[in-house]
């Protein structure tokens, strides 16, 4: 069982920045991949950014050039640096990690952190 603890959400003005953190209870190297998702009421959870165990990153088109996902292996922590924030970025952001054992994928989620972009 992997536990994920998120932090860093809050209220920010349009054009501002926030950094989200996701601390894993296990070594990042035991994880197949980690990522950030977001969800607004009435909509499905959507992928924002992901980083593989090998360090490859991928982003949703709506955040390319504004958000950066990176990790600190020594701290078992994955970050999401969010710049040039827009009101439409307002959502609950969730950290996700997965492991694969004997051909079965196990998904883990954090509790979510609210990001509100408003003037």
């Amino acid at each position: 069982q992997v536990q994920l603890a998120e932090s860093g959400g809050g209220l920010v003005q349009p054009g501002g920045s926030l950094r989200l953190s996701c601390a894993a209870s296990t070594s990042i190297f035991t994880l197949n991949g980690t990522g950030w998702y977001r969800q607004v009421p009435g909509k499905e959870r959507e992928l924002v950014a992901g980083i593989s165990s090998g360090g490859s990153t991928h982003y949703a088109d709506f955040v390319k050039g504004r958000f950066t996902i990176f990790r600190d292996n020594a701290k078992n922590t994955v970050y999401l640096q969010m710049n040039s924030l827009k009101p439409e970025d307002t959502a609950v952001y969730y950290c996700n990690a997965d492991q694969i054992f004997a051909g079965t994928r196990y998904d883990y989620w954090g509790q979510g952190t609210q990001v509100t972009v408003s003037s």
Side-chain angles (χ1 to χ4, degrees):
Q1 185 79 8
V2 177
Q3 295 181 338
L4 303 172
E6 299 139 335
S7 60
L11 173 65
V12 63
Q13 292 186 342
S17 298
L18 280 176
R19 178 178 292 182
L20 305 183
S21 301
C22 173
S25 62
T26 186
S27 169
I28 281 183
F29 295 111
T30 70
L31 303 174
N32 183 53
T34 55
W36 289 94
Y37 289 70
R38 70 186 189 186
Q39 189 171 24
V40 296
K43 291 190 177 182
E44 292 189 354
R45 195 170 294 186
E46 59 184 0
L47 175 68
V48 176
I51 184 167
S52 71
S53 57
S56 299
T57 60
H58 57 277
Y59 298 91
D61 287 343
F62 52 79
V63 302
K64 283 182 179 177
R66 300 189 298 123
F67 292 11
T68 303
I69 187 170
F70 62 100
R71 67 191 187 198
D72 184 331
N73 297 333
K75 295 182 178 180
N76 297 322
T77 300
V78 177
Y79 302 91
L80 184 67
Q81 178 66 41
M82 305 185 294
N83 299 329
S84 302
L85 283 161
K86 305 175 182 179
E88 51 264 44
D89 293 319
T90 296
V92 178
Y93 284 71
Y94 296 90
C95 181
N96 168 268
D98 73 274
Q99 289 180 318
I100 298 177
F101 288 123
T104 299
R105 172 174 169 159
Y106 298 87
D107 268 293
Y108 304 99
W109 294 92
Q111 79 283 0
T113 185
Q114 177 71 46
V115 172
T116 302
V117 185
S118 174
S119 55

